């Protein structure tokens, strides 16, 4: 299907969704589908909830935001959900506070785009008085004295008053016949300024309050004769057009005071003042965002006390998980025009380790350093520590993640590495080098912070060195699984004989042998099993094997994390000399060349390298092993 055909199909589908009718017909719809009369906060919450909840996390944000699960969960459960139930928090401005590049704007943008799509579904359908700039709720037509009766019949509580223009139209166009007022289905669109508004402060001397509340259309004064005639007023300010949906108040705390006064009654009473009219009702969510420094300055100013209690402040810290940070960089690269650049495995991960280290705070526990903390937060196994330790560590610093290096800086340095390197292949060392070079020109980094960040770059490189060595060593094992299984079988045969106090048969001579203590210890020492602990470890292995045998299953060493690690380390240790000789030979012989070619092919086929990055990795690891 061509793009033009898809456009036609999209247009046809939207036409199917359109609905027009009288207020009488609209009431029939409300009786069948009461959810169409949802207030703004409830509609936004339903949109988020309808996307699904998995493992306690909300799927709506999962494709755009990474590592902010806890912040998002708190945001939904402490603001969106109670606001949807018409609890008092809905009368508050939602203020997202966090560091630059932490995801605040993405959260707001995601909600905006989500609402545009949701109003095109049956569950999110919105109806408004036809030809109303404010997309006014048709139920405002019900007189106040009949609203209790309406509640008794429909179970819906009506809030808000009819706007000046629609009150005029009801009287003069429809002769007060509410049932004849036309109603239409509307679709939110930020571009078309319907249901979604965005206000960004500019120079206070030139910005007009009309940007928020609308203004008089002076060209119509001669026709209508008065500035107080609602037909002479343009109800097109951001607060007007955001009615029934949400308004993003960008840089709210930088705004001039007169622009904030209107928010006082809007948040508390659900209305605001415009022109020479009575208070205008508005049902909308106000979302603002700021950084911590601006928020502290705002709070310190006594003039702003009236707004303090009308805000719900939600911290949005940086992500603190390495694997989630990787996803951020992958997403940014995917959205760029650098998709033809090859990023070697572990490139983003290494950059992410540096970034996360800059965001973490030292623990008061002497046995935990930042690298251990980073691994623990990422769900990795750290000897002597558990997930409970991670939970305790997170409680130590309430502001952890509110400063450090932001993802945009990292992407800037990745971009610099791409431009600087002649080939279209970038590895972890290229990015670390670029990150280091960029610290000198970073505008907000002091010398002390720079020195600390240089240490983090060195630490990220150490972690990469270990990963690189393991990757190459693993690639040198021609039949890695077969070799590992053979070693495991040999080890377990000896363990079984040791625990049962029996002997083994020599596979060559058939003679009885005592269990090979040297072999068993060479494997156990790889994971720090002490002489005193060897007996209990071996007994655990035997119990595990017996349990599998009872179920008719064969024990697989890969399902036991510590044994897998021990087998791999032993295998790598045995191969170290072979790797050193092969990767560091200036003029390798035919046998060495064959090994190099086989290893390169394995790195490309099984690990995700290309020919350039595979050869760079081999040269680098060869240098590491020869130090």
């Amino acid at each position: 299907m061509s793009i033009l055909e898809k456009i036609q199909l999209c247009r046809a589908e939207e036409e199917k969704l359109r609905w027009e009718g009288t207020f009488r017909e609209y009431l029939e719809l409300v009786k069948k589908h009461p959810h169409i009369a949802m207030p703004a906060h409830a509609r936004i919450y339903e949109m988020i909830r309808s996307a699904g909840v998995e493992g306690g996390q909300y799927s709506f944000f999962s494709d755009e935001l990474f590592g902010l699960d806890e912040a998002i969960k708190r945001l939904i459960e402490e603001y969106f959900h109670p606001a949807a139930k018409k609890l008092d928090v809905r009368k508050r401005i939602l203020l997202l506070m966090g560091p630059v590049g932490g995801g605040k704007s993405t959260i707001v943008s995601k909600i905006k785009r989500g609402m545009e799509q949701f109003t095109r579904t049956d569950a999110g359908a919105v109806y408004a008085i036809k030809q109303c700039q404010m997309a006014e709720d048709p139920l405002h037509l019900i007189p106040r004295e009949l609203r209790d009766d309406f509640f008794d019949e429909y179970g819906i509580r009506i809030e808000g008053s009819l706007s000046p223009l629609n009150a005029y139209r009801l009287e003069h166009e429809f002769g007060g016949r509410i049932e004849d007022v036309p109603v239409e289905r509307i679709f939110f669109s930020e571009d078309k300024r319907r249901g979604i508004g965005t206000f960004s402060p500019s120079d206070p001397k030139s910005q007009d309050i009309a940007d928020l509340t609308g203004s008089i259309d002076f060209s119509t004064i001669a026709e209508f004769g008065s500035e107080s005639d609602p037909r002479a007023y343009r109800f097109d300010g951001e607060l007007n057009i955001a009615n029934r949906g949400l308004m993003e108040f960008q840089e709210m705390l930088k705004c001039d005071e007169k622009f904030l006064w209107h928010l006082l009654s809007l948040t508390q009473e659900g209305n605001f003042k415009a022109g020479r009219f009575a208070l205008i009702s508005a049902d909308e969510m106000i979302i603002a965002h700021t950084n911590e420094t601006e928020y502290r300055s705002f709070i310190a100013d006594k003039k702003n006390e009236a707004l303090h209690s009308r805000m719900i402040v939600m911290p949005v810290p940086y992500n603190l998980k390495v694997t989630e940070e990787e996803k951020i960089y992958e997403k940014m690269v995917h959205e760029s025009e650098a998709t033809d650049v090859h990023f070697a495995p572990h490139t983003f991960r290494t950059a992410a380790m540096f970034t996360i280290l800059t965001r973490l705070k030292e623990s008061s526990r002497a046995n935990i350093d930042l690298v251990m903390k980073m691994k623990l937060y990422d769900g990795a196994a750290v000897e002597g520590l558990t997930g409970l330790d991670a939970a305790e560590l997170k409680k130590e610093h309430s502001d952890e993640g509110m400063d450090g290096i932001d993802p945009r800086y990292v992407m800037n340095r990745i971009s610099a590495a791409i431009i600087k390197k002649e080939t279209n292949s970038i590895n972890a060392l290229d990015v670390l080098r670029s990150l280091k070079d960029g610290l000198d020109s970073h505008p907000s980094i002091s010398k002390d912070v720079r020195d600390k960040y240089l240490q983090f770059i060195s630490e990220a490189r150490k972690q990469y060195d270990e990963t690189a060595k393991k990757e190459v060593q693993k690639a040198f094992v021609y039949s890695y699984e077969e070799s590992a299984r053979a070693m495991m079988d040999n080890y377990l045969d000896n363990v079984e004989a040791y625990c049962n106090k029996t002997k083994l048969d020599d596979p060559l001579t058939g003679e009885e042998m005592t269990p090979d203590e040297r072999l068993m210890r060479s494997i156990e020492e790889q994971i720090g099993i002490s002489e005193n602990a060897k007996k209990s470890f071996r007994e655990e292995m035997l119990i595990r094997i017996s349990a599998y045998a009872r179920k008719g299953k064969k024990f697989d060493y890969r399902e036991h994390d510590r044994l897998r690690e021990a087998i791999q380390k032993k295998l790598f240790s045995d191969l170290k000399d072979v790797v050193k000789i092969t990767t560091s030979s200036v003029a390798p012989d035919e046998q060495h060349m064959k090994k190099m070619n086989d290893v390169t092919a394995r790195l490309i086929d099984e690990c995700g390298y290309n020919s350039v990055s595979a050869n760079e990795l081999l040269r680098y690891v060869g240098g590491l092993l020869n130090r």
Side-chain angles (χ1 to χ4, degrees), residues 138-157:
L139 296 183
H140 284 181
L141 290 162
I142 302 289
R144 287 191 176 275
E145 61 271 19
L146 295 179
R147 291 185 178 183
D148 287 340
D149 296 333
F150 182 83
F151 176 76
D152 293 338
E153 184 176 350
Y154 287 82
I156 296 171
R157 189 78 66 186

Side-chain angles (χ1 to χ4, degrees), residues 74 93-97 295 299 308 311-315:
R74 182 184 173 194
I93 299 166
L94 175 60
L95 180 63
L96 305 179
M97 180 187 67
Y295 177 70
I299 290 296
H308 294 178
M311 290 181 180
I312 293 285
V313 181
M314 286 289 171

Side-chain angles (χ1 to χ4, degrees), residues 4 67 131 164 183 187 217 302 343 359 361 395 463 494 509 534 581 615:
L4 288 177
Q131 296 179 339
V183 175
F187 309 107
D217 184 352
K302 296 293 183 183
F343 290 92
R359 299 171 184 172
K361 294 186 180 293
K395 294 176 183 177
Q463 299 297 317
N494 280 273
T509 64
K534 70 180 184 182
I581 294 169
N615 282 301

Side-chain angles (χ1 to χ4, degrees), residues 35 45 65 94 160 186 195 206 222 247 313 332 356 371 396 406 456 471 482 572 597 606:
H35 69 271
Y45 173 70
L65 293 154
L94 175 60
I186 63 167
S206 61
M247 190 190 82
V313 181
M332 287 178 157
I356 300 301
V371 174
E396 282 190 331
D406 70 281
F456 293 151
E471 194 120 280
E482 289 76 3
F572 294 158
N597 290 336
E606 298 179 11

